[in-house]
Amino acid sequence: MSSGKKIDWKKRVRQEYFRLRQHKRFQRSDNIKHAFTKNRGVITERANKLNEETKFEAQLFEKDNSFDDDPVTKSCVVKSSVHSFRDQAVPLYTLNSVPSLPVCYTWVPLQQNFMVEDETILHNIPYMGDEVLDEDGAFIEELIKNYDGKVHGDREGDFINDELFLELVQGLHEISAEKPTRKLRSRNGASEKGKYTDTTDSSADEDDTSADTDDPPPSSPAAESSSQESTSFPCDEIFTAIADLFPDKGTVDDLKDKYKELTEVLDPHTVVPDCTPNIDGPEAKSVPRERALHSFHELFCRRCYKYDCFQHSHTYRPPVKANRRKTLDVRAPSDACKNNCFLLLDGAKEFNLFHSRSSSSRQASNRKYRPLVVGAAGGTTTSGSSSGSRPSTPTPSESETDTTEERDSSNLIKLEDLPQQLRDVEWDGAESSLFRVLHETFLTNFCAISKLLKTKTCQEVFAFALRESSTLNSQPGGAGGRLSVDPDSLEFSPAKKKRKHRLWSLHARRIQQKKDNSSSHVYNYQPCYHPGQPCDNSCQCVALGNFCEKFCQCPSDCHNRFPGCRCKAQCNTKQCPCYLAVRECDSDLCTHCGADQFGENASKCSCKNVMIQRGMHKHLLLAPSDVAGWGIYIKEDVNGKNEFISEYCGEIISQDEADRRGKVYDKYMCSFLFNLNNDFVVDATRKGNKIRFANHSVNPNCYAKVMMVNGDHRIGIFSNRPIQAGEELFFDYRYSQSDAMKYVGIEREMEAA
Amino acid sequence: MPRPKKIDKQRKEDVVPDLRQDREEFLRMFEKPTQIYRFLRARHCISPTFLHRSLLYMLKRNSRTHARRQKFKVGDMLEACITKQSTDKLLPQQQYDQLKILVLGFCIDPGVRSENNVGRKFSSLETQVSLRKTHRCRRKDGESSHTEELVGITDTPINPRNVDAYEEDPLYLSTTHMYQTGDGTSVKNYSLVFRVYESNDNESESESDFSDSDNSDNWSDGPGGRKRKRKEDDPAGISLKNLTTGTRRRRTIHDDDKQDDDDDEEPVNGSSKKFKKNHNEKSCTLTTNAVYEAELVMFNSEKQLLLSDGEYELSLTRTKSEGVGRKRNATWEALDGGRDIELLSTMNSAPVLKFKLCWSANEKPGPLSASENGDTKNATSDEPETKRMRRRPSVKTNAASETNGDTDKPNTLPVELVEYRKSKLQSATFPKGDRDEDSVMSEDKVLVYYQFIYNSETQQQTEAREDLFCPWCQLNCMTLYGLIKHLKLCHPRFNFTYSPQQHGSCIEVSVNECYDGSYCGNPQFIFAQPGMAFSRRGPVHRIEVTDTLVYRPRRERRCANLALAELLEKEENDASPTAHYTAGHHRLYFHSRNAVPIRPCEFEGDSEDEADPDWLRAYTKRMLDEFTDVNEGEKPVMKLWNLYIMKNWWGCIADAQLFSSCRTFLDLYGPLIARHSLRNNLLLHFVTLVDFGVLKASALISLMEHFDHVASTVTPISPKRELADDIAQADMELQLLPALPDQPRAGSRAKRVSVGDTKMGSMDFYEHNMSSQVDRLHAIINHAETKPQSQ
């Protein structure tokens, strides 16, 4: 009995599995069909629209289908042997012979590098013609070995994913629950497992008979039953059977856990625990600052200014920069904003003064700061939100001590002092969350906070702030902020400036040294983050020989920071430290050369060392090459040496991935790989821009140079000599920063010859 | 091919097969390119791609000076017109009551071989001019009857050399009665009828002899004195002639010496004999009948005068009896120019009668007469007769005669009118390789030897001409320099090497093995859709293909006056840099995404320029959608921001720029965000920017103030529209927006961006039409492949 049951379950699982799979396949093909027709519709619609727009243009596409304007060369007559029929005559038009084009594989246009993750499975076995496939099976084998034998869609037979698993379990559960529903409900519909097994055992008996008669489960009652017993849990038998069938998916318990997890996710009403409710929505909750900003902070890329950017999302990103002193330039209000400003309340001014003083005194004494309001809940420690105000706070008195501070604070206004109507104001979740968010930025400038909140007056905000602080005070120990490393006041003193200048000349020397030492080993830059530690040998920037960038968490006077140039010219000679360091001028650092001029002021920018970041590439044109395959031609004249032509864009892949892909490309004799640095390679095969069509030449008119642009390595193609409009562009694939471009096979052979 | 034939004549028995082989060899080398150039010449005559006279080396052909251009004003044209009109009014047409008809000549196009025999048979013909009145039949409206009045008969020269020299007695026709509409009610219209008769003089015998002797060996035995003279006048290689007339008459020469030219076209000998018979019969009957006829309407039924002063060319048709079975005009039918093909070819294939009409005694046709002629032609274009009429602007003729004078050759033919009549020199005069015995030649004449080198430079044939006509084009190059330049530049299938000789110049001709016949015109024309490249419907944008190179060899210094020395230095000029420089500019460019040719109108915009292609926009949206722990309020703000940054990436290079970027962002998306009441999320977004240190806190306040200002006009919609749709729409709107003013690019770059934006439509269009384009390209390619390589 029991064995028969087991076999039955296995069979059932298999049946159900294949049914689901087939169903999926049909669904998929249906989806594809649907998407296809939809796309066709979109295409025709847009084409029509564009046709409408360009109707009056002289050169339309499908203007005339006749050959009226073609030269007539001959009259072709078909004579009929039957006399009553007329001869059929038609003019013969000769069309031009059109030369065939070189082969062009599909690629995707891109104007900026795009980082992709390693492919751990082989997505397709490259087709290189029948002869290669026949004679060179070893290559394919090697290829598969590179991917540890993982080929996409390889194990089609026992493939199972979450979705399928869920459906499988549910489908089986419906079958099992088909009959015993009543029983189940009559008992306690709880998810006691022991009871469950009992019921399913008994129900399986009945199933035995029913399953033989009708294999496909009747769907409508099943749906009913499933809706009825949403609380019930599938029986163990199902999981054991599945675990038997798919041994690689884990044990029975794993499967159960997974099922639980998946069902929970599916429930639309249960919010994902990590997800903060929409702050604009009705379910907005009062959450601490960190949670309110969590998504934004996690996804924002400080280097691209984008959320979840393509280029840096796979690499390490330091947490939110803790030290934001530069941007916090809002001072505490000294004057009342309007008639009922909080400053007009009793004691508010003193409160304000106290806090501003305390913050400044804190800075002066380099002490740990205890923020006024820190989210009471957990997570504060990690963030270490040590905020500071600008140094220009009104009265920084050195003489103040802790005692005075404490004495002052004891005299401060308390929540109880405020009028009742202020205290009783209702604050909903969104408002209180926002207050916490803004309070850290604007400190005690309740006028500003109120302005941004829009829904509350500054008096109400003030009252709320007091309420918050009182609850906070009741809790022992503030957040452990970290050292606020440098006092801002120094930055603006004349002594500092001098030091900086010295620093700068020191830098210039160091760049020179660095260049002499190891130019061939360039490592990818990653912002360093070592709180409390200066950038010494343990800093990854220093270790890798990179400069600290503005994205680093180290203080701005870090000795490893690149200071920018002070050129007044074009920054295209080695006089310019940026140029010497193979960097583009940083718009936030180099202000003398005009790299910080944008927009209408762009004409003021004399710097020629900002071409890549500003994308000021030349207009390139694609045509069949004079040498091999396709080639790229320049549309406009290039007047001199070292002029920027274009950036070599593509996918950024790791070196390992490049090795794997390179195997295939070498076989194809066509490679678009370009070493970016020791860690990464640019591959323009799938994504890229037009310069990817530039051919190799030993006597080129262009050269490639990997430059550091705002913390990223990017490949610039520059002119070697003046180039005339219409010339084909070549560069020497071998010569690059680290001599690493794997050049095209055809040329490689030509080289050898 | 005179010389081999001559030898053949002398040692007939043993050399024949050799010679034959030799000639075969020769033909194999030179025939095909010659025919091609002949075709090209015909095409050029019909629709010229350029004017020879505008070429630098053809300066002599340009009779005009540019002196007047210096002080030319547009007003002058008007003035000229006005004066012309006023004189016209002063002398209304009714005042002319006499039409002077001066028949200048009867021209047979050399290419039209069916008519050639006539030319050879008769030195001159009689032209009968008569006036035909078409009467209206009272009873039947549809029909009409004709009456003819003979105006006169005049002798007409065939292919006259010099038009002016042939000043004959004109015929006069009184037209006074034609204006009187009162009695002429029955007369529908008046037309002039020209009939050409053969005059039955004795010379025709020898003429016919001559015509045959063109190809036969015994021509030197038979010529009469007059013929002899002609031959000396026009020394030219018969081989050239044979080649340039574009027919193959060699094949049957040895079969039948007397064989007529026409017959050689027939591949089968039997049929050719039949035609010969035909021909003989015809020549007997021709003596009395009118051979050709043409009608020219003078007054139409509205009593409008259709003819004006000037020279006319009227193509004649055979009278019906002879016209049967004589359709084998060996003209090239391949003429471009489209629909007018029939009309144009008639002028070439049919014999042309040239005459001058003159209403006043001393007419001097001015430049305006040409345009007037054009009007007249248009007005009468529905008349079938006038279809074959071509007016020759008298200016041109004047110019021709003028330039003829320059060359000190009074006998030079007007250039395009008459085929250059070739005859050959006695081959005895020029034995192989020995050119010293040209005693026959008069010293003052230009003598050009063409040495055809073939059979891998082992054999050569020499032919001499004493003019400066291009043997292939029949183009009078006026100067030797011009001739050689022309040969070199217009006939690249041959190599020409010039070397001066004692009594003339020698041009070695060999077939250019390097010529691959590859297309070297504007590549756009190949790919252009039918009707695009040569569209006559209106102006189209074209890419100039050869403008980038201005190659100026130091012509001024080395060879001041277009001297021949330049041509001598060919060897060192071989690696002339022209080829190198032009290499890059004769190119068709393609869109990089779909390999569709770039049309000229899209050439300026960099369509692949956009930093946010469709897929990337979709990708970033999808990536954000995939997060499960990002709530539905944060996602739209992030998406909008990302899309905005991707679109205006140049606004977000540096931290310093971010404030203005945020402002623009609010301008663009503020309303949308306000509509969906996402203010708090926006605030969080800005706070994030502040937290990351890229925005100042004070900037945050002003940004939010700006947002509130923007949002104040927008009322949040209560039933929320689908946010995703709205974002998609905003995305579309963003694309359609003009480029923002604050681009970092100055000058051309900025312009290009804007161009790119406006061109985006067409680019998308390309993408979507790619499939159809590709299909069409395939069709063209297939067609081209199935088409036999014509050249």
Side-chain angles (χ1 to χ4, degrees), chain A residues 489-505 566 592:
Chain A
S489 47
L490 275 181
E491 217 172 7
F492 295 89
S493 67
K496 167 80 180 176
K497 220 167 199 173
K498 226 178 197 169
R499 221 185 93 210
K500 220 176 173 184
H501 187 65
R502 261 206 318 279
L503 200 73
W504 184 80
S505 57
R566 310 181 142 206
H592 286 79

Side-chain angles (χ1 to χ4, degrees), chain A residues 276 302 305 307 329 452 725, chain B residues 585 590 631 641 655 679 685 698:
Chain A
T276 324
R302 194 244 171 279
Y305 309 112
Y307 290 99
D329 60 343
L452 292 171
Chain B
H585 305 290
F590 293 84
N631 65 45
W641 176 254
D655 297 352
R679 183 179 188 276
H685 161 66
S698 55

